[in-house]
Amino acid sequence: MEWLSDEERSLIADKLKERGAIIPCSRCHRSNFTVLDAYFVMPISNDMSVTQLGGRSLPLAVIVCDHCGYTVCHALGSLGLLKKPEEKHDK
Ligand SMILES: [Zn+2]
């Protein structure tokens, strides 16, 4: 598995800045964060009693506070960063 490159992580950080997602950590009020080198892929369902692995999912960028570890996620689609599977493999 290929982890996110520094370039991909910088692109996510730039998009968050562009969208104004720049306030300090809501838990410790520090301002240094790390974009994790992997996505969080959350399974989604239209049935609350079913968790289906391998079905539909919500791909998320993961941002971690460097001081307290508070972790937040941002939907890649909302940031305009969703890639079709073939685009990922073309690299
Ligand atoms: Zn924090």
Side-chain angles (χ1 to χ4, degrees):
M1 171 189 277
E2 183 178 325
W3 299 98
L4 297 183
S5 67
D6 290 344
E7 181 178 281
E8 289 170 307
R9 295 166 64 213
S10 291
L11 180 60
I12 291 167
D14 290 346
K15 280 289 183 183
L16 291 172
K17 288 177 189 162
E18 177 187 304
R19 302 291 174 97
I22 55 172
I23 63 170
C25 175
S26 62
R27 300 289 290 166
C28 73
H29 303 287
R30 306 289 172 88
S31 296
N32 293 323
F33 296 90
T34 295
V35 177
L36 199 66
D37 64 349
Y39 300 118
F40 183 43
V41 182
M42 182 183 298
I44 60 174
S45 174
N46 63 352
D47 184 339
M48 288 190 285
S49 65
V50 174
T51 300
Q52 182 181 9
L53 297 177
R56 291 184 66 190
S57 61
L58 178 63
L60 303 164
V62 184
I63 315 301
V64 182
C65 173
D66 291 344
H67 184 69
C68 75
Y70 186 64
T71 302
V72 296
C73 296
H74 294 264
L76 292 168
S78 295
L79 298 175
L81 297 175
L82 277 186
K83 299 176 188 173
K84 295 177 182 173
E86 59 271 16
E87 290 175 336
K88 182 71 176 177
H89 295 300
D90 286 346
K91 285 189 156 184

